[in-house]
Coordinates of all heavy atoms in Angstrom, one line a residue:
F23 N -25.0 0.6 3.0 CA -23.8 0.8 2.2 C -22.7 1.5 3.0 O -23.0 2.2 4.0 CB -24.1 1.6 1.0 CG -24.3 3.1 1.2 CD1 -23.3 4.0 1.2 CD2 -25.6 3.5 1.4 CE1 -23.5 5.3 1.4 CE2 -25.9 4.9 1.6 CZ -24.8 5.8 1.6
Y28 N -10.0 0.9 0.3 CA -9.1 -0.2 0.5 C -7.7 0.3 0.0 O -7.3 0.2 -1.2 CB -9.5 -1.4 -0.3 CG -8.6 -2.6 -0.2 CD1 -8.6 -3.3 1.0 CD2 -7.7 -2.9 -1.2 CE1 -7.7 -4.4 1.1 CE2 -6.9 -4.0 -1.1 CZ -6.9 -4.7 0.1 OH -6.0 -5.8 0.3
A136 N -0.2 -6.1 -11.2 CA 1.1 -6.5 -11.7 C 1.0 -7.3 -13.0 O 0.1 -8.1 -13.1 CB 1.9 -7.3 -10.6
E148 N -6.5 -12.6 -4.5 CA -8.0 -12.5 -4.2 C -8.3 -13.0 -2.8 O -9.1 -12.3 -2.0 CB -8.8 -13.3 -5.2 CG -10.3 -13.2 -5.0 CD -11.0 -14.1 -6.0 OE1 -10.8 -14.0 -7.2 OE2 -11.9 -14.8 -5.5
H160 N -16.7 -7.1 9.0 CA -17.2 -7.6 10.3 C -17.1 -6.5 11.3 O -18.0 -6.4 12.2 CB -16.4 -8.8 10.7 CG -16.7 -9.4 12.0 ND1 -17.9 -9.9 12.4 CD2 -15.9 -9.4 13.2 CE1 -17.9 -10.3 13.7 NE2 -16.7 -9.9 14.2
A195 N -11.0 -6.7 -11.2 CA -11.6 -8.0 -11.2 C -11.3 -8.7 -9.9 O -12.2 -9.4 -9.2 CB -11.2 -8.9 -12.4
Y222 N -14.2 17.7 -0.5 CA -13.9 19.1 -0.6 C -15.0 19.9 -1.1 O -15.3 21.0 -0.6 CB -12.6 19.3 -1.4 CG -12.3 20.7 -1.6 CD1 -11.9 21.5 -0.6 CD2 -12.3 21.3 -2.9 CE1 -11.6 22.9 -0.7 CE2 -12.0 22.6 -3.1 CZ -11.6 23.4 -2.0 OH -11.3 24.7 -2.2
A262 N -17.8 17.2 -16.1 CA -17.1 18.0 -15.2 C -15.7 17.5 -14.8 O -14.9 18.2 -14.2 CB -17.8 18.2 -13.9
L301 N 29.8 -4.3 -6.1 CA 28.8 -5.3 -5.8 C 27.5 -5.0 -6.6 O 27.1 -3.8 -6.7 CB 28.5 -5.4 -4.3 CG 29.7 -5.8 -3.5 CD1 29.3 -5.8 -2.0 CD2 30.3 -7.2 -3.9
N313 N 6.9 -3.6 -3.0 CA 5.7 -3.5 -3.8 C 5.9 -4.1 -5.2 O 5.2 -3.9 -6.1 CB 5.3 -2.0 -4.0 CG 6.5 -1.1 -4.5 OD1 7.5 -1.7 -4.8 ND2 6.3 0.1 -4.6
K338 N 34.8 -7.4 -0.2 CA 35.9 -6.8 0.6 C 35.5 -6.6 2.0 O 36.4 -6.7 2.9 CB 36.2 -5.5 -0.1 CG 37.6 -4.9 0.4 CD 37.9 -3.6 -0.4 CE 39.3 -3.1 0.1 NZ 39.6 -1.9 -0.7
N383 N 22.6 -10.0 16.5 CA 23.8 -9.8 17.3 C 24.3 -8.4 17.4 O 25.3 -8.1 18.0 CB 24.9 -10.7 16.7 CG 24.6 -12.1 16.8 OD1 24.1 -12.6 17.8 ND2 24.9 -12.8 15.7
N400 N 14.4 11.9 -4.5 CA 14.3 12.7 -5.7 C 13.6 12.1 -6.8 O 12.8 12.7 -7.5 CB 15.7 13.2 -6.1 CG 15.6 14.4 -7.0 OD1 15.0 15.4 -6.8 ND2 16.3 14.2 -8.2
K405 N 8.6 12.0 -10.4 CA 7.5 11.4 -11.0 C 6.2 11.9 -10.6 O 5.2 12.1 -11.4 CB 7.6 9.8 -10.8 CG 8.7 9.2 -11.4 CD 8.8 7.7 -11.1 CE 10.0 7.0 -11.7 NZ 10.0 5.6 -11.4
V419 N -6.5 24.0 -18.6 CA -6.9 25.1 -17.8 C -6.0 25.2 -16.5 O -5.4 24.2 -16.1 CB -8.4 25.0 -17.4 CG1 -9.3 25.0 -18.5 CG2 -8.6 23.7 -16.5
F455 N -6.0 11.2 5.6 CA -6.3 9.8 5.5 C -7.8 9.6 5.2 O -8.1 8.6 4.7 CB -5.9 9.1 6.8 CG -4.4 8.9 7.0 CD1 -3.8 9.7 7.9 CD2 -3.7 8.1 6.2 CE1 -2.4 9.6 8.1 CE2 -2.3 8.0 6.3 CZ -1.7 8.7 7.3

Side-chain angles (χ1 to χ4, degrees):
F23 71 86
Y28 181 73
E148 182 185 309
H160 174 67
Y222 173 64
L301 298 179
N313 54 5
K338 193 173 182 179
N383 297 317
N400 192 55
K405 291 179 182 177
V419 298
F455 290 109

